[in-house]
Amino acid sequence: MTKASIDFSAYTGAELIPAAQNIHDKMTANAATFPGPPVAMATFQTLTDTADAALSKKASGATADVIGFNVARNDLEDALNELGNYVNIVAKGDATIVDKSGFPSYDTARTPDTSPPPAPQNLVLRQDDLSGSLVARCRPDRPRSVNEVQTNTTDPNNESGWKPTGMFSGGKAVLSGFTPGTTAWVRVRTCGLKGVMGAWSDPAKIMVV
């Protein structure tokens, strides 16, 4: 039996926002499967956007901004908890349905593995059909995983140059918004249970056209 993970307390702010956005997008795309969520998707998007904006303000270090983010995060986690429980009720242990929700998941038939997932393998990049876009494919160690993608358009050896790009289910991600002619590096890691993040893949490089 597969269950959606509903505890996001161990996620950093930078990890939580993309995960929430992925869940919103997947549940919206699969509205026929999830017709009556306890939190409307428009409301959930507002909570995600509010937390994202609050996270940016938190960087100031001002007490009011830190408190503002904590409040926004709490509201977002409450919504994720409600939605995750709803997904589990709808799915009734069906891994395919849980996967459609975008929630990270675990198998209740065995003790949940909370160790960091291994780095995805065989990361390859190719041009997308649209200018300024690319497609990344890799082989995650864990099936039906949620994977974080980061990109770097400056120096892959400079950690501060890596920017979060999104959370994607499985081993494929379509990335857009690049200026044609830009050289981009991409790396991927898998989201584990209880917010434990796996190791980064080796970066792959491409010139975007």
Side-chain angles (χ1 to χ4, degrees):
M1 177 179 289
T2 299
K3 302 277 282 186
S5 299
I6 61 174
D7 181 6
F8 291 83
S9 60
Y11 280 53
T12 66
E15 294 163 352
L16 179 64
I17 307 304
Q21 187 64 57
N22 181 63
I23 290 166
H24 168 275
D25 295 347
K26 292 291 290 290
M27 290 191 69
T28 299
N30 294 290
T33 303
F34 307 106
V39 180
M41 288 297 100
T43 301
F44 186 47
Q45 183 66 68
T46 298
L47 291 170
T48 303
D49 291 342
T50 299
D52 191 20
L55 178 61
S56 297
K57 290 183 178 180
K58 180 188 174 187
S60 71
T63 300
D65 290 337
V66 172
I67 293 174
F69 171 70
N70 290 339
V71 171
R73 175 180 182 134
N74 183 71
D75 291 343
L76 181 57
E77 285 196 44
D78 284 348
L80 285 165
N81 185 277
E82 288 188 63
L83 289 170
N85 282 316
Y86 167 72
V87 167
N88 285 330
I89 291 171
V90 172
K92 297 179 180 178
D94 188 323
T96 301
I97 295 177
V98 173
D99 182 61
K100 287 182 178 181
S101 73
F103 272 86
S105 62
Y106 63 94
D107 189 345
T108 62
R110 60 179 183 272
T111 302
D113 182 3
T114 57
S115 63
Q121 301 296 310
N122 303 332
L123 175 61
V124 293
L125 309 177
R126 68 168 177 82
Q127 304 293 339
D128 189 29
D129 295 335
L130 298 177
S131 179
S133 300
L134 63 90
V135 178
R137 289 185 179 274
C138 65
R139 182 169 57 82
D141 181 75
R142 299 182 180 179
R144 297 187 297 275
S145 59
V146 173
N147 298 280
E148 179 186 8
V149 177
Q150 289 189 349
T151 58
N152 191 319
T153 56
T154 54
D155 179 2
N157 296 313
N158 180 7
E159 190 63 27
S160 65
W162 288 98
K163 306 301 180 184
T165 306
M167 307 288 282
F168 300 87
S169 296
K172 177 183 177 182
V174 178
L175 312 178
S176 60
F178 297 95
T179 301
T182 298
T183 297
W185 287 265
V186 177
R187 66 182 184 181
V188 184
R189 65 177 177 177
T190 300
C191 303
L193 298 180
K194 297 185 180 297
V196 175
M197 303 302 292
W200 287 110
S201 67
D202 292 332
K205 174 184 175 183
I206 191 173
M207 178 175 284
V208 185
V209 298

